[in-house]
Amino acid sequence: MSLGLPFLLALLFLLGPAAGDLGNLEPLISGASPGSFSDDDFSSSLTPGPGPSTGPTTVSQLFSNFTGSKDDRGTCQCSITLPDTTFPADRVERLENTAHSLSRRFKIELSKVKEYIRLISVYEKKLVNLTVRVEIMESDIISYTKLEFELIKIEVKEMQKLIILLKKSFVGSSEIVDQLELEIRNLTLVVEKLETLDKNNVLIIRRNIVALKKRLKECEASKDEKVPLPPPAPGSCSHSGVLNISSPAVVQLNWRGFSYKYGAWGRDYSPEDPGKGLYWVAPLETDRRTFQYYRLYNTLDDLLLYTNAQQYEIKYGQGSGTVVYKNNMYVNWYDTRNIAKVNLTTNKVAVTRTLPDAAYNNRFSYANVDWQDIDLAVDENGLWVIYSTEASTGNMVISKLNDTSLVVLNTWHTKQYKPSVSNAFMVCGVLYATRTLSTRTEEIFYYYDTNTGKEGKLDIIMHKMQEKVQSINYHPFDQKLFVYNDGYLLNYDVIFKQEHKQAIPTYS
């Protein structure tokens, strides 16, 4: 290759760092012109300098293999063969990347191996524990239970899952993993064999023992329990009084409409035929005093559908204290202390009788309800009247009436002031009085037992739909309260106290 000397010198300068230190070439380059070199310049420039050489080879040694000549003008021309000193930098870079990747993967695999070693150590301990437990079972079949078998099975299954995972991901020798898998398989077979070798029916006997213990505990616990009795028979007084009442059932609005807020309703009760009484509805006129019209219905469905009604007129009743008993309606006659008995078949007044000393014409009516000084009631024992007298200073008086002649049979005086009571009813000879707690709540708060002469306080809550309660009538056969509530017809189930008996448990 024939090159100009300046170019060759420049090339050597650039290749110096790769080929080694070529010495100080500055005098050569700075002292020569780009056009020509003299022999002295050339030979002196190729002579090694006095300083020490840092490279393994000198300049004269690098250029020892060359030939040269001068042309006619004295210009030196030479040919130099340079060694192949190109450095493979791309190969070195690839080598470094490969080494880095191998190092990273090695670290990951090493961490996995450490984790596997830890898990194997843990499950080796579990396996030892299970082996001990199985040995105990083998030596004493009485000491194991079904639950113990199930717990061991669960633990063995967990170890089997781990062994499968280890075998899939473990790199290198799997001798330890294979050994663990074999031991777990053998342990599984032993557990299954022990479970099936229940020759003495230990588990069955234990189940029977548990069942017997449970029955003994139930028997022990039931010693002081009381057998709940069924509700008393309709029309019966085989109970200890009213315990509670249900939520109200709204039957419907009275047949005359919302403006007729005062009145009464119920069902005829006859001890001779208690289940076939007529339903009756008796709203007062809008003056809240006069009772003039009433309707009768053969069934509750007729009442609900406003069909097959028989409407009648009387002249005149007063207040909302009306009741029906044995196909007769009993009312307080208008502007008097008299009680009238009206036959429902003929709509004729059969008997009228004065209630002795009774206050009337709104003297001692109920709280928030006018013109109900005389309130008639029916229960299992017959016909009653609740009222006050001047002699009782407004306290409630209870009288038992003969339902045929309206003669007073007996009288009881209470200590409860009647105008502080919102309404009242009778059940089995016991007076129950209510009072208003709020616009939606009444409370049965007082009772007077005519059978014993005792009176006392109660706290039975009675919910209502409207603000005021105009009348409450009890039906002994249905064991319900029929309530007239600001024009709406409501009824409630009555819940009685029961005389309990001790339970006698029986087993088959």
Side-chain angles (χ1 to χ4, degrees):
M1 171 171 66
S2 177
L3 295 171
L5 184 58
F7 175 78
L8 292 175
L9 293 175
L11 180 61
L12 289 173
F13 177 78
L14 292 174
L15 291 175
D21 192 0
L22 299 181
N24 187 4
L25 298 181
E26 292 182 1
L28 176 63
I29 297 173
S30 60
S33 66
S36 63
F37 292 89
S38 64
D39 290 341
D40 297 335
D41 291 337
F42 185 77
S43 60
S44 62
S45 65
L46 296 177
T47 303
S53 176
T54 58
T57 309
T58 63
V59 176
S60 60
Q61 290 173 334
L62 286 173
F63 289 4
S64 61
N65 184 20
F66 69 90
T67 57
S69 61
K70 288 185 180 180
D71 59 9
D72 297 339
R73 292 176 294 179
T75 303
C76 179
Q77 294 181 346
C78 65
S79 296
I80 301 173
T81 301
L82 298 174
D84 186 7
T85 58
T86 304
F87 187 79
D90 56 339
R91 294 181 185 178
V92 172
E93 184 177 359
R94 285 198 299 273
L95 180 60
E96 289 179 350
N97 291 338
T98 302
H100 179 72
S101 176
L102 288 174
S103 176
R104 182 172 51 82
R105 290 173 57 190
F106 176 77
K107 290 179 180 179
I108 293 173
E109 295 300 325
L110 183 61
S111 64
K112 288 183 179 179
V113 170
K114 290 180 179 179
E115 178 64 19
Y116 293 149
I117 291 173
R118 187 188 67 80
L119 290 175
I120 288 172
S121 176
V122 171
Y123 279 91
E124 275 183 335
K125 293 178 181 178
K126 285 191 175 184
L127 188 59
V128 171
N129 183 40
L130 286 174
T131 303
V132 173
R133 289 165 63 184
V134 171
E135 289 176 353
I136 294 174
M137 290 180 179
E138 287 178 318
S139 63
D140 184 8
I141 59 173
I142 306 298
S143 64
Y144 69 87
T145 65
K146 187 69 176 176
L147 178 59
E148 288 175 318
F149 278 127
E150 294 301 325
L151 292 175
I152 291 177
K153 285 181 180 179
I154 291 172
E155 293 184 37
V156 171
K157 287 180 181 178
E158 288 179 356
M159 289 192 294
Q160 287 175 336
K161 291 180 182 178
L162 177 66
I163 288 297
I164 294 172
L165 179 63
L166 288 174
K167 291 188 70 175
K168 288 182 179 179
S169 58
F170 196 78
V171 178
S173 176
S174 61
E175 183 178 351
I176 297 176
V177 177
D178 293 337
Q179 181 65 28
L180 281 174
E181 183 181 23
L182 179 61
E183 291 185 25
I184 292 172
R185 189 182 300 116
N186 292 338
L187 184 62
T188 304
L189 295 174
V190 171
V191 172
E192 291 176 354
K193 185 177 180 181
L194 282 174
E195 193 174 19
T196 57
L197 289 177
D198 186 20
K199 295 180 181 179
N200 296 325
N201 294 321
V202 175
L203 295 178
I204 296 174
I205 293 172
R206 289 201 168 192
R207 292 191 191 103
N208 292 337
I209 291 173
V210 171
L212 286 172
K213 285 183 177 180
K214 183 178 179 181
R215 291 172 60 184
L216 286 172
K217 286 183 179 179
E218 290 177 354
C219 183
E220 184 72 19
S222 65
K223 285 193 306 181
D224 299 325
E225 285 185 1
K226 297 176 180 179
V227 177
L229 297 176
S236 168
C237 290
S238 58
H239 54 77
S240 300
V242 176
L243 175 65
N244 205 350
I245 60 171
S246 69
S247 297
V250 181
V251 177
Q252 63 177 199
L253 185 65
N254 78 89
W255 58 276
R256 299 192 72 179
F258 186 74
S259 298
Y260 295 82
K261 292 182 177 292
Y262 279 56
W265 83 294
R267 188 183 183 192
D268 180 20
Y269 174 66
S270 174
E272 292 78 19
D273 195 4
K276 295 184 179 180
L278 298 172
Y279 289 89
W280 57 274
V281 182
L284 303 186
E285 299 300 309
T286 54
D287 64 1
R288 304 181 178 184
R289 178 182 182 182
T290 308
F291 170 34
Q292 187 171 1
Y293 298 98
Y294 66 93
R295 278 186 178 183
L296 303 177
Y297 302 88
N298 289 322
T299 66
L300 182 61
D301 288 341
D302 288 342
L303 189 154
L304 293 172
L305 298 173
Y306 297 105
T307 58
N308 303 319
Q310 307 168 54
Q311 183 170 320
Y312 298 95
E313 179 183 4
I314 59 174
K315 296 182 179 179
Y316 296 104
Q318 176 172 281
S320 302
T322 304
V323 295
V324 174
Y325 182 60
K326 293 182 178 181
N327 199 46
N328 292 288
M329 179 174 284
Y330 298 87
V331 300
N332 172 212
W333 218 232
Y334 189 85
D335 200 29
T336 69
R337 58 169 58 93
N338 295 343
I339 298 173
K341 174 183 176 182
V342 180
N343 185 293
L344 294 182
T345 301
T346 62
N347 194 37
K348 301 292 185 179
V349 177
V351 179
T352 301
R353 186 173 293 278
T354 299
L355 183 61
D357 302 322
Y360 66 102
N361 279 355
N362 220 24
R363 173 66 174 125
F364 294 118
S365 185
Y366 290 129
N368 304 319
V369 181
D370 297 332
W371 309 105
Q372 201 170 343
D373 303 79
I374 297 174
D375 184 20
L376 293 141
V378 170
D379 70 355
E380 292 83 354
N381 297 331
L383 181 65
W384 303 80
V385 59
I386 305 165
Y387 59 106
S388 294
T389 66
E390 295 295 340
S392 71
T393 62
N395 287 343
M396 301 176 79
V397 177
I398 308 166
S399 289
K400 182 74 170 64
L401 300 180
N402 181 296
D403 59 272
T404 301
S405 62
L406 299 182
V407 172
V408 174
L409 301 177
N410 206 343
T411 299
W412 296 263
H413 295 269
T414 76
K415 297 177 182 178
Q416 179 60 48
Y417 187 56
K418 188 171 182 286
S420 67
V421 172
S422 60
N423 226 281
F425 59 95
M426 299 292 296
V427 176
C428 289
V430 180
L431 168 74
Y432 293 92
T434 65
R435 64 183 175 188
T436 300
L437 298 183
S438 70
T439 58
R440 290 294 181 269
T441 308
E442 296 280 310
E443 180 188 40
I444 301 174
F445 77 101
Y446 172 81
Y447 75 93
Y448 184 94
D449 189 348
T450 62
N451 302 295
T452 63
K454 294 181 180 179
E455 58 187 335
K457 300 296 182 181
L458 299 171
D459 56 355
I460 301 173
I461 296 300
M462 176 177 173
H463 298 285
K464 55 188 178 180
M465 305 305 298
Q466 298 295 324
E467 183 174 349
K468 297 178 182 179
V469 171
Q470 283 74 28
S471 70
I472 303 175
N473 288 312
Y474 171 68
H475 193 276
F477 185 82
D478 292 343
Q479 296 178 342
K480 290 180 180 291
L481 299 180
F482 291 77
V483 177
Y484 198 98
N485 180 204
D486 277 342
Y488 286 90
L489 313 183
L490 314 180
N491 62 29
Y492 302 77
D493 292 323
V494 180
I495 302 168
F496 297 103
K497 297 177 186 177
Q498 299 292 315
E499 294 294 339
H500 295 285
K501 297 180 180 179
Q502 286 192 342
I504 304 176
T506 58
Y507 296 101
S508 58

